[in-house]
């Protein structure tokens, strides 16, 4: 049997899962460099050395890749912080939580840039702000217990949790570019400020022995899941997103159809009202014309009656005159005979 050459192995076609993972990694790098809006499907396809239809076939567009990237990064960061907050002592929890964020920034710089840069609606899984809010909710429980032990009002814990997490997140964004000092020293200064306050700052803060040298690992679900399982989960997620998109489209179509039907109904009602008004106007005009015709007939009848009466009077006067003339003629005849 002829051995397979190195060049033949390099030309081996990727499986569907391998191709998906390649597109995810390529997209992740481009999103970190250019952002979601600055990255195109053409660039993703060109960087992966595939055609655009391959990208659409696996993810339906850059939105699908972006959603997977955001979900992975948020799950990784949340897993690290959740592990850190599982410590028993409150100060150790704060130390480990700060160190977990800085570790994530150091090990997943591209992922952190994507989270804090875009917070794009295409992720479908929330925003960096919502993730920070989730972490603050966990820190809130730690502070509430600490406040109770020290006699402070535990109702203030949510506000202080937002302060602590917000301070740590902004410090992380600053450290993303400067990378000095090292992450354990940054974490020590963060806890120094949050634990001791400005009036009680330690001149040379260090982490406790329970935290120094700690390196956290993401949970098994987000790190060691088999590629096939990840691929299946991502496909299920993409399918659900596509179904939601179809449902939204159907709702929009239904709304559009309902809007068109309402507009058509309103148009029919307007037309009917116009027809009714036109019919009413025509009826009024006909009634007015009929009344005018009746008045004209009445005037004509009165004129005819007056004319007939006048003629009758003239005839009566003529007859009376003839009678007088006859009477005078008869009278003259009688006088002549005498």
């Amino acid at each position: 049997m002829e051995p397979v050459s190195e060049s033949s192995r390099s030309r081996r076609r990727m499986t569907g899962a391998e191709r998906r993972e390649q597109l995810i990694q390529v997209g992740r790098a481009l999103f970190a460099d250019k952002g979601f809006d600055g990255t195109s499907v053409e660039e993703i396809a060109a960087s992966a050395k595939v055609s655009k239809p391959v990208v659409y076939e696996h993810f339906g567009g850059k939105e699908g890749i972006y959603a997977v990237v955001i979900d992975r990064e948020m799950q990784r960061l949340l897993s690290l912080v959740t592990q850190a907050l599982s410590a028993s002592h409150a100060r150790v929890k704060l130390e480990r939580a700060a160190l977990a964020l800085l570790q994530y920034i150091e090990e997943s710089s591209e992922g952190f840039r994507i989270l804090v840069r875009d917070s794009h609606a295409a992720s479908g899984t929330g925003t960096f702000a919502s993730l920070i809010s989730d972490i603050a909710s966990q820190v809130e429980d730690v502070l509430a217990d600490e406040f109770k032990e020290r006699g402070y009002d535990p109702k203030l814990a949510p506000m202080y949790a937002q302060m602590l997490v917000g301070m740590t997140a902004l410090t992380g964004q600053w450290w993303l570019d400067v990378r000095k000092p090292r992450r354990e020293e940054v974490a020590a200064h963060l806890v120094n400020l949050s634990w001791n306050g400005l009036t009680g700052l330690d001149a040379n803060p260090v982490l406790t022995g329970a935290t120094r040298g700690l390196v956290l690992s993401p949970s098994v679900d987000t790190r060691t899941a088999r590629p096939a399982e990840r691929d299946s989960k991502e496909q299920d997620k993409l399918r659900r997103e596509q179904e939601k998109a179809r449902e939204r489209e159907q709702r929009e179509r239904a709304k559009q159809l309902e809007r068109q039907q309402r507009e058509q109904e309103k148009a029919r009602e307007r037309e009917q009202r116009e027809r009714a008004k036109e019919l009413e106007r025509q009826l009024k005009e006909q009634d007015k014309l009929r009344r005018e015709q009746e008045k004209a007939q009445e005037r004509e009848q009165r004129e005819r009656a007056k004319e007939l009466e006048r003629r009758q009077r003239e005839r009566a006067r003529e007859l009376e005159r003839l009678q007088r003339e006859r009477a005078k003629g008869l009278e003259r005849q009688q006088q002549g005979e005498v």
Side-chain angles (χ1 to χ4, degrees), residues 46-225:
S47 298
K49 297 181 179 180
V50 298
S51 61
K52 286 171 56 178
V54 173
V55 179
Y56 288 114
E57 177 184 355
H58 284 278
F59 293 98
K62 67 175 182 178
E63 293 83 2
I65 301 177
Y66 186 79
V68 173
V69 170
I70 289 292
D71 183 65
R72 285 186 178 184
E73 297 305 323
M74 293 182 72
Q75 290 300 324
R76 177 179 175 82
L77 177 55
L78 186 60
S79 173
L80 291 174
V81 175
T82 301
Q83 289 182 65
L85 293 175
S86 63
S88 57
H89 193 275
R91 174 163 181 163
V92 176
K93 288 181 179 181
L94 294 179
E95 289 179 344
R96 292 186 176 183
L99 195 59
L101 176 61
L102 296 173
Q103 177 188 328
Y104 169 77
I105 294 173
E106 191 171 52
E107 296 177 351
S108 303
S109 298
E110 289 184 343
F112 189 72
R113 289 184 190 279
I114 294 171
L115 289 179
V116 298
R117 168 189 281 162
D118 285 317
S119 296
H120 200 277
S123 66
T125 56
T127 63
F128 183 66
S130 66
L131 177 63
I132 293 300
S133 180
D134 292 340
I135 296 174
S137 297
Q138 299 186 49
V139 174
E140 176 185 330
D141 296 333
V142 177
L143 292 180
D145 294 338
E146 194 69 20
F147 280 14
K148 289 179 182 178
E149 291 183 5
R150 295 173 181 266
Y152 300 143
D153 186 358
K155 293 181 180 179
L156 297 175
M159 180 176 65
Y160 278 86
Q162 293 289 337
M163 294 176 183
L164 284 173
V165 175
M167 175 182 67
T168 305
L170 288 175
T171 302
Q173 290 181 251
W174 164 81
W175 190 72
L176 173 66
D177 295 319
V178 297
R179 297 300 177 92
K180 290 180 181 180
R182 59 192 181 87
R183 71 186 185 199
E184 287 197 354
E185 188 174 347
V186 175
H189 282 281
L190 273 170
V191 175
N192 184 27
L193 176 60
S194 61
W195 189 263
N196 297 321
L198 288 173
T199 58
L201 284 178
D202 190 335
N204 297 294
V206 295
L207 299 178
T208 61
T211 303
R212 283 196 300 273
L214 178 67
V215 177
L216 298 171
S217 299
S219 63
V220 174
D221 290 339
T222 60
R223 187 184 178 108
T224 62

Side-chain angles (χ1 to χ4, degrees), residues 222-237:
T222 60
R223 187 184 178 108
T224 62
R226 294 192 300 273
E229 293 178 354
R230 289 200 305 269
D231 188 64
S232 176
K233 290 179 180 179
E234 290 164 4
Q235 288 178 349
D236 290 341
K237 180 179 178 181

Side-chain angles (χ1 to χ4, degrees), residues 257-275:
L257 179 60
E258 184 179 358
R259 188 162 54 247
Q260 291 176 351
Q261 290 175 343
R262 287 198 301 267
E263 290 175 355
Q264 291 174 354
E265 182 65 26
K266 289 180 180 178
R268 284 195 295 268
E269 291 178 355
R270 285 195 300 270
E271 186 178 357
Q272 290 175 353
R273 287 195 298 269
E274 291 297 328
R275 288 178 179 176

